Amino acid sequence: MSLQITFWILATVAVSGALLAVRLRNLIHGVFSLMIFFGALAGMFLLLMAEFIAAVQILVYIGAVGILLLFAIMLTERVAEDGGRRISSRGSFWGMAAAIAVFVALLLPAIRQTDLPKTAQTVQPSVEKLGQQLMDPYVVTLEVMALLLTAALIGAVAVSQGGKPKNEDEPK
Amino acid sequence: MSFELIKDILLATVPLLVIFPSLFAFTTWMERKALARIQNRIGPNKTGIPCTRIGLFGLGQPAADGIKMIFKEDIVPRGADRLFHLLAPILALIPAMLILCFLPLEFPWTKSMQPIHAFLLDSAVIFFFAISGLATLAIFMAGWASRNKYSLLGGMRAVAQMVSYEIPLVLSAVVVVMGAGSLSAEKIVQEQNFLWFVFTPWGFAAFVIFFIAALAETNRSPFDLPEAESELVAGYFTEYSGFKFALFFLGEYIAMFAISGLAVVLFLGGGNGPGAGLHPLLDPWVPVVWFIAKIFGLIALMIWLRGTLPRLRVDQLMAFAWKFLMPLSILNILITGAALHLLADGRLEALTRRPNHLYKMIEGANPAMIGVLWIGSFLILYAAACGLDNLNRPGAKPRNYKYAE
Amino acid sequence: MTLEHCLILSAVLFCIGLFGVLTRRNAIVVLFSIEIMLNAANLNFIAFWRYSENPTLLHGPLFALFAIAVAAAEVAVGLALVIAVYRHFKTVDLEKLDTLKEE
């Protein structure tokens, strides 16, 4: 019974957090509601007995991706001034129609018509098994992931540093 | 929600909520007295019993501070974001209090019931780091919401510092997890009932790195540039007055307690100590007392460092984290891996189904091997530190000071 | 709390993310919405794992872990690109970034 209540509370918080993140005009408020969404999702992972993933979700998304988004917003936008009427979204009616169409015509029938398993086995969360699985069958994926993250790190630094410095005393 | 569940939850969390804020009050008094004595003055000694002349060494000072802060006027700058201005101190306090629940601090009354102490998690160590990352967010909110250039600058510097020092923090905890073989805090404490991790060479290096990174995470001196009074007019809490400032202050000190608690669990064997078999009535209290005593030892060390070392500049801070501590902690992980491999006679299975590997360091090995292991690890780490130092600041020589005659 | 509830929740979140991508003009909000979609997919993985016949294989959490790592890398590079674009064009409005369009 309390599981049901927790699920509905977390679901409501997640959906409203996502909606607010997408619709708010003040971007900083949007990022914070996005973080509430991430937190609610971490709670859902805990409810589904995936503890390690819940911790990683908080660590990576709220602790790192959220802060990155905040810094990017501060570097690219003058958020504090609200002078003038800026259109923050165009065609939101058709966008909403498309999203609802995808939901109603594509996803909902897919869920309703599949034969879904009904009961859940008991799961003992254990990080040691996760580590063993990472090392034994999935070691190649782990190494590729490490390579990808290194490439992303180097790429992000290279892209954000800009090109060659301009030479100002060039004769025109 | 049955009554039993609520009673269990309250019984597990209310003691933490009562004990740690009172420890906070005591710590503020201790810090002011200790800093004063280091700086050759006396510190608070007049606030004792009110309306009399008896100053009990200034023990009434925390109460006086609390009363003053509650009665101060709450000023919010015009044009500031009111919601965030209110939420930021609350958000700074919640993660610190939440981490306290993960520490394996078992109070004796909970042992008589079914074993419940606040959160019994299998991956507790990762949750520690995940939730202490939330404090970064609160500081950014505080800096942003005040609509003040100095606050924003202080907030961004604080966030950059905290994010940079999270990496050596987590990497030095990885060493402990490798040694203990589990991420759960209780299992790590159990593995240390023979030998604490700080007495192994790689554990000692990891402890030093962890402690320095913990100082930077909680914005304590010598890394307290974001809240420095002489630089940024109190940085990100410039615009906070009264109760909100008290909440920030409380949050910072409880974060100090929480990270010291984590250091005690990971490295200093939290709760393990002599005196376990004295008296059956006192037995359940011994681990609790040892845990809190060790936390206080680390806090005293933090206060001592605050009174002694000068403050680092922000570029020195960041260079220290990225170019010095991070390579050292990675090297430390490599050394740990090699040493554990050697101690397990080169067989990987022996590491996963083992008795306590630290036994092998003492019982199965001869003193020569232990000596070689210590000296070898230290030489490698010291050489790495010197090499990194030369790489970062080539040609830096010690300064010769000229004193006035 | 059956599997169907979790799947419908994840579908709703995915559609909210889709709405955000299709509608907003600011490049950073588009990146947020992509993150929302990726998180919804992770929820799907974990829900299916929980109700599978052999949860000791831990395929759900593993896939979710890799998905989180890839999403984090993608956000980092995406934001670096957005900052580089801002430096050049002085705006992150997607409607104004049309220099590749034919006249």
Side-chain angles (χ1 to χ4, degrees), chain B residues 262-274:
Chain B
L262 183 59
V264 166
V265 162
L266 288 177
F267 296 102
L268 293 175
N272 288 327

Side-chain angles (χ1 to χ4, degrees), chain A residues 2-165:
Chain A
S2 57
L3 227 68
Q4 288 277 7
I5 300 180
T6 324
F7 174 77
W8 284 111
I9 294 179
L10 283 172
T12 320
V13 173
V15 168
S16 48
L19 265 176
L20 281 177
V22 165
R23 290 300 295 168
L24 278 177
R25 288 192 45 174
N26 186 349
L27 281 186
I28 305 268
H29 290 180
V31 171
F32 278 107
S33 88
L34 189 75
M35 297 206 205
I36 296 180
F37 162 72
F38 289 148
L41 225 58
M44 292 264 346
F45 289 155
L46 267 180
L47 211 59
L48 291 170
M49 305 290 284
E51 282 176 2
F52 186 69
I53 301 293
V56 169
Q57 165 99 358
I58 298 180
L59 188 64
V60 169
Y61 274 115
I62 304 184
V65 168
I67 306 259
L68 198 57
L69 283 168
L70 277 173
F71 268 92
I73 289 177
M74 284 184 42
L75 285 173
T76 64
E77 179 107 353
R78 290 187 291 269
V79 181
E81 45 175 78
D82 306 0
R85 301 199 20 106
R86 300 176 302 168
I87 309 178
S88 65
S89 64
R90 297 258 297 245
S92 38
F93 173 68
W94 291 110
M96 200 172 338
I100 294 184
V102 162
F103 181 64
V104 164
L106 208 56
L107 295 173
L108 211 50
I111 296 175
R112 284 277 154 82
Q113 287 165 18
T114 337
D115 205 13
L116 296 171
K118 292 275 180 276
T119 55
Q121 272 94 8
T122 47
V123 167
Q124 279 286 20
S126 139
V127 183
E128 188 179 347
K129 270 209 214 86
L130 198 76
Q132 277 172 353
Q133 289 272 19
L134 268 179
M135 282 292 143
D136 234 340
Y138 292 103
V139 65
V140 178
T141 323
L142 185 68
E143 301 298 334
V144 168
M145 203 60 49
L147 205 60
L148 175 74
L149 285 170
T150 314
L153 180 69
I154 298 179
V157 169
V159 164
S160 63
Q161 269 192 354
K164 297 195 284 272

Side-chain angles (χ1 to χ4, degrees), chain A residues 1-2 5 26 28-29 32 35 46 51-52 54-56 58-59 62-63 66-67 70-71 73-75 77 79-81 125-128 132, chain B residues 1 5 81 83-84 91 120-123 126-127 129-131 133-134 136-137 140-141 144 147 152 155-156 159-160 163 166 170 181 183 352:
Chain A
M1 185 54 204
S2 57
I5 300 180
N26 186 349
I28 305 268
H29 290 180
F32 278 107
M35 297 206 205
L46 267 180
E51 282 176 2
F52 186 69
V56 169
I58 298 180
L59 188 64
I62 304 184
I67 306 259
L70 277 173
F71 268 92
I73 289 177
M74 284 184 42
L75 285 173
E77 179 107 353
V79 181
E81 45 175 78
S126 139
V127 183
E128 188 179 347
Q132 277 172 353
Chain B
M1 289 275 197
L5 186 64
D81 212 340
L83 181 64
F84 281 5
L91 203 64
L120 203 69
L121 275 182
D122 195 43
S123 42
I126 295 232
F127 265 103
F129 295 122
I131 295 184
L134 291 180
T136 322
L137 211 56
F140 185 82
M141 254 210 237
W144 177 263
R147 212 198 165 132
L152 191 61
M156 283 185 71
V159 168
V163 161
E166 266 179 28
V170 176
L183 280 174
T352 53

Side-chain angles (χ1 to χ4, degrees), chain C residues 1 5-6 8 21 30 39 41 51 55 58 65-67 74 80 94:
Chain C
M1 187 190 78
H5 291 159
C6 292
I8 294 185
V21 168
V30 169
N39 272 298
Y51 284 85
L58 285 176
L65 194 65
F66 293 139
E74 170 235 336
L94 286 175

